[in-house]
Amino acid sequence: KNQVEQSPQSLIILEGKNCTLQCNYTVSPFSNLRWYKQDTGRGPVSLTIMTFSENTKSNGRYTATLDADTKQSSLHITASQLSDSASYICVVSLSYGNNRLAFGKGNQVVVIP
Amino acid sequence: DGGITQSPKYLFRKEGQNVTLSCEQNLNHDAMYWYRQDPGQGLRLIYYSQIVNDFQKGDIAEGYSVSREKKESFPLTVTSAQKNPTAFYLCASSPDRGRVNTEAFFGQGTRLTVV
């Protein structure tokens, strides 16, 4: 079973609208949770990184939340733009000291005009 | 400017041939990683290195080999023993092998196709 589950697998939204992506994980204990944006055919780029003691972190129009009790995280995109079309990957750091990471399969977002 | 560079961007290989993917970073990072990405799947760890002249197998190391002779370089060789090598390969690096909340930076990837 995958340690990091993301939903929805894909979604289409209208330009200017908001959307929320979900990430549930079973990894415990973990040191941090990250969200990456990956454009098609490119490498992932970091959006946010949160330790288990943080509840929310923003990066421009991207806001990530974390509930360590329920092992859930979300990424909210505000006022979507065409350039937001990408895969958004939730990543959990597995353990202390060696930076091993567990990756979700990604949320594929398509923004249409 | 600083960053992590993978080359080539696209690579074609005949069955039975070995091929080496390049990964170079000028960020002075200790740790480097190789991942494989297949459609509809999360990234899977092939090999990682936390210090020069040392590397460890990841979750799917069979059919792959690496070396870490220099801090800035971590080449990946896809051997003929890898039965399904067609994939998107991503190299990453992070600053400090001893700290857990350090950021991982990714290269732009190499798409390998076996023909």
Side-chain angles (χ1 to χ4, degrees):
Chain A
K1 187 180 188 307
N2 199 13
Q3 296 172 301
V4 181
E5 298 283 352
Q6 294 187 241
S7 62
Q9 182 177 357
S10 62
L11 76 160
I12 300 173
I13 58 173
L14 289 174
E15 186 179 11
K17 298 296 185 182
N18 304 336
C19 72
T20 299
L21 312 176
Q22 299 292 340
C23 174
N24 296 336
Y25 59 92
T26 58
V27 176
S28 181
F30 77 101
S31 58
N32 62 68
L33 185 144
R34 314 159 186 220
W35 283 93
Y36 283 86
K37 177 186 179 187
Q38 185 178 22
D39 293 316
T40 300
R42 308 293 295 273
V45 175
S46 177
L47 294 176
T48 63
I49 177 169
M50 293 181 290
T51 66
F52 61 86
S53 61
E54 295 179 289
N55 299 119
T56 185
K57 184 159 284 188
S58 292
N59 179 358
R61 295 180 296 101
Y62 301 102
T63 299
T65 64
L66 175 62
D67 186 334
D69 292 332
T70 61
K71 296 188 173 67
Q72 295 180 326
S73 177
S74 66
L75 181 70
H76 186 76
I77 304 175
T78 303
S80 61
Q81 300 176 359
L82 297 179
S83 60
D84 292 331
S85 295
S87 178
Y88 293 85
I89 304 173
C90 177
V91 185
V92 178
S93 181
L94 287 176
S95 60
Y96 293 90
N98 64 7
N99 255 349
R100 290 292 295 267
L101 304 174
F103 290 80
K105 295 180 181 180
N107 306 100
Q108 186 67 46
V109 174
V110 175
V111 181
I112 59 175
Chain B
D1 56 339
I4 180 166
T5 303
Q6 290 185 240
S7 61
K9 187 172 177 60
Y10 299 98
L11 189 56
F12 294 87
R13 188 197 90 176
K14 291 184 178 180
E15 279 191 33
Q17 289 181 338
N18 294 353
V19 64
T20 298
L21 282 60
S22 171
C23 179
E24 303 277 333
Q25 53 98 1
N26 59 5
L27 301 167
N28 200 34
H29 286 176
D30 284 322
M32 297 187 73
Y33 312 82
W34 273 105
Y35 293 93
R36 170 181 172 140
Q37 187 174 36
D38 295 284
Q41 294 196 37
L43 275 70
R44 292 182 291 169
L45 182 64
I46 304 172
Y47 268 98
Y48 65 101
S49 168
Q50 295 183 310
I51 195 170
V52 174
N53 292 323
D54 185 57
F55 49 83
Q56 306 295 327
K57 291 182 178 180
D59 301 318
I60 55 166
E62 185 176 352
Y64 300 97
S65 65
V66 294
S67 63
R68 188 84 187 276
E69 298 177 359
K70 298 185 296 182
K71 187 176 186 178
E72 58 270 23
S73 179
F74 191 41
L76 173 74
T77 296
V78 184
T79 74
S80 57
Q82 169 52 234
K83 298 305 179 188
N84 187 22
T86 295
F88 190 53
Y89 291 87
L90 285 162
C91 180
S93 69
S94 61
D96 189 330
R97 61 188 172 96
R99 293 166 51 197
V100 298
N101 292 326
T102 54
E103 190 55 80
F105 295 85
F106 285 86
Q108 291 304 301
T110 293
R111 185 166 298 282
L112 173 64
T113 303
V114 175
V115 297

